[in-house]
Amino acid sequence: MPQIVVEDLQKRYHVAERTAGLWGAVRGLVHRRHRVVEALKGIGFSVERGEVVGYIGPNGAGKSTTVKVLAGILVPDAGRCEVNGRVPWRERIEHVRRIGVVFGQRTQLWWDLPVVESFELLRDIYKVEPGAYRKSFDDLVARLDLGAILDTPVRQLSLGQRMRCDLAASLIHAPDLIYLDEPTIGLDAVAKLAVRDFLRELNRTRGVTILLTTHDMDDIEALCSRVMVIGEGRILSDGTLDGLRAQVSGERRLIVDLENGSGAFEHEGVTVERREGHRVFLRFDPRQVPTAGLIGRIAARHAVRDLFVEHLPIEEIIRRLYERIPA
Amino acid sequence: MRAYAAVLSARVRTLLQYRAAALAGIACQVFWGILRTAIFGAFFAMNPARSPMSLPEMVTYIWLGQSLFRMLPTGADGDVRALIRTGGVAYELTRPLDLYAFWYTRSVAMLAAPMLLRAVPLLGVAALFFEMLPPASPLALAAGLASLLCGLLLSAACVTLLTISLLWTVSGDGISRMAVIAVWAFSGILLPLPLFPEWLQPALALLPFRGLIDGPFRLYMGHIPAEQAPGVLLHQLGWTLALIALGRWLLGRGIRRMVVQGG
């Protein structure tokens, strides 16, 4: 049985509306208008143990709502949802014992206490045995390189340090499933790489299932064997990264470095995206224009120093997919 | 239980970091204590015969109040308020803890830590320099301490209730201000309860507020004889349980309608 099963999950929010300005504020005292926002319009998916699933979508698409329902924080309006065989919000306490959660924009550490004291507090909250705690603690400190910052109060940590500590905090009780809501938000390039390396190792060595929401496509490319795209409260796409590419566009990009940058560049079925000096960026669909033949024709007609073919960047794929979402 | 004890101790350690605030608070309490005993002494001198308390008793009541006033429920838990404002409250629900018990524990810590930090030096100062009476008897001391503990539990139930109200009002200032007025008026912190008019006494006896400090103080002084301690404790515990039941019910409703914004 899959570790996460979601079927036809729905969640509506009632948002109080107020007209702008003083008069609007006064009117709001007497008469409240409510707007219904449908955050989830019946989504469904399942996740097997040990998978790393990227969950992406534009802001307001319903990513965080899904994660919060899966974490037992929010109660949905309709639909079925089971994690490890439990309904998260109905058996919340038993459910959360076995999951870890990181909301990238917030910290779960005690602001005024040294990092290590937050860990000890979580150890007591999750009733982790001393031996198991020691092992898990040493492992996390080594892998996330926390040794030097354990005695620092959380309020003095940099964002990258804080995120590493938050990751460790979510894993103290050795959960077999973690939800990461934008774990790399605001981090610099080095810190992002550290987080990705750690997550990859975590999945590989401990078999932890990871559900990750992000806006950073490098996270997806580096970590996720599977990508789910949500838009306007519906799942738009679910599958491998390659599958997603194929669904949106089979196009490839051909980058050609010429000996001599000038001159027209026209071939059938090929569009010139842009030129940068001696470099020309072309786009074509290999199903209509076979790659080998195209390269041959280009090499015959131009003085080519170098050329290479690549997929469309994932950002481009996602942008096209988002554009298809009915507004 | 270990989890709740750990939360309690973490909270105490956090609050102990703010020593300067505690020192300033102590100085402030000494100043007000001197002022209030002077005012009440002046009133007392006008008509000593009609007073329901002797002057030394009144002085003692005031100094106990100055020393222990931080245990009064005068607002929601600031930490939880911040969590609700920022959405960090989501993490509270991802802990394998009963949320009410979790928040109640936080409330106990929020009240007990600063109270203890201030009470010990303030009581020492009051006993040494300002003629605060010792306990009426060892039994009175025991009854007073037991009642003080119950008062703390009652106060924590009030704070938790105010905290839960934040799930509806977010800022919670309105409800907290009303609570402060009721607590200041009816707990005895402003005016010792025995000094209230005769016709108000039955109502005061019924309300929960007298269980906060008035009961413990008067048991300590022997103004309420130790034999009557069970009645005082029952009143305190009865209200505590009632407020806990109300808080649990409200929290259950609040969580079902909760919306965690953003992120």
Side-chain angles (χ1 to χ4, degrees), chain A residues 1-61:
Chain A
M1 192 187 148
Q3 190 167 22
I4 303 177
V5 182
V6 174
E7 280 171 16
D8 195 30
L9 202 64
Q10 296 174 29
K11 176 77 189 171
R12 267 178 240 106
Y13 294 123
H14 295 266
V15 184
E17 273 198 333
R18 213 179 64 185
T19 333
L22 181 62
W23 174 236
V26 173
R27 255 199 336 204
L29 290 176
V30 189
H31 177 71
R32 288 267 179 112
R33 267 193 318 181
H34 287 270
R35 186 166 52 97
V36 175
V37 177
E38 288 190 72
L40 301 177
K41 298 174 185 164
I43 61 165
F45 59 87
S46 66
V47 176
E48 297 289 341
R49 242 164 244 289
E51 274 193 283
V52 182
V53 181
Y55 192 38
I56 59 178
N59 288 321

Side-chain angles (χ1 to χ4, degrees), chain B residues 115-131:
Chain B
M115 177 193 90
L116 289 173
L117 199 61
R118 283 158 211 231
V120 175
L122 271 168
L123 288 173
V125 167
L128 283 174
F129 303 110
F130 299 109
E131 295 166 346

